Amino acid sequence: NVFIFAHDTIQQSVYDFLPEDQMAELHFRIGLQLVKGLSTCEHRLSHSISFIAIDQINKAKDTDSASALSPQLKEVMTSLNLSAAELALDFADASSALSYVHNGFLFMGENSWEVAYKPCLRLHEAACLASYLNASPAGVSKYSGLIMEHARVLEDKIKASCVVIQTSASNGDTEGAINSGLDLL
């Protein structure tokens, strides 16, 4: 079933006519089809299409279909949200990055630190940096604290520690920045 609309107004009218649950299911199906087509996509287009795909799926994350995803597809959704968050941070769009991070967490589920350590660490690092860019010391503290609690090796603590140091320094807390640096050592 493929629909092509001659004009955006017609498309919007059809969209407005759909009940909310059908709309969410439609977003999910569109996103899933886009994800499946990513492997055949030209590299230069893959970032754009992956953003569109994950945005569609994130709009439907609360549907039965999204919650019934296989563990492998949940891993793909987590990875796409992580990539989108990191790309959003590259463009200094911290609020979008946090949204992608939170959606990535939703697809990870329970015991994510044990089951998928690296993606979980990277999501928390992105959340920590996005919180800093959003001027949210509470967010920095929350995500850096989780990283410090779950990090397996010293190297995994470095990015979060740098953000904590930057947060302290930018808030005029030189002593706190120094102490954070010393704590890492």
Side-chain angles (χ1 to χ4, degrees), residues 87-147:
L87 200 54
L89 285 170
D90 287 345
F91 290 105
D93 185 358
S95 60
S96 292
L98 274 175
S99 177
Y100 289 120
V101 163
H102 291 288
N103 285 315
F105 288 146
L106 291 175
F107 284 110
M108 288 198 99
E110 299 295 318
N111 301 324
S112 53
W113 283 102
E114 292 82 26
V115 176
Y117 177 77
K118 280 295 183 187
C120 191
L121 174 65
R122 287 179 55 205
L123 277 171
H124 281 82
E125 288 172 341
C128 188
L129 179 57
S131 295
Y132 169 73
L133 295 173
N134 271 337
S136 172
V140 170
S141 178
K142 173 185 173 181
Y143 294 113
S144 66
L146 288 167
I147 291 170

Side-chain angles (χ1 to χ4, degrees), residues 5-66:
F5 297 96
H7 197 277
D8 289 344
T9 307
I10 297 169
Q11 181 179 357
Q12 187 61 44
S13 296
V14 170
Y15 188 78
D16 290 342
F17 182 70
L18 289 172
E20 195 168 321
D21 60 331
Q22 285 182 354
M23 213 175 353
E25 193 64 35
L26 182 62
H27 283 299
F28 180 76
R29 288 184 17 224
I30 290 169
L32 211 50
Q33 287 301 316
L34 289 170
V35 167
K36 289 177 182 175
L38 277 174
S39 62
T40 61
C41 185
E42 285 183 43
H43 179 70
R44 63 185 179 87
L45 295 175
S46 64
H47 283 302
S48 298
I49 293 175
S50 66
F51 264 113
I52 294 167
I54 201 60
D55 284 341
Q56 291 293 314
I57 290 169
N58 286 345
K59 287 179 183 179
K61 66 184 174 289
D62 296 326
T63 64
D64 290 338
S65 296

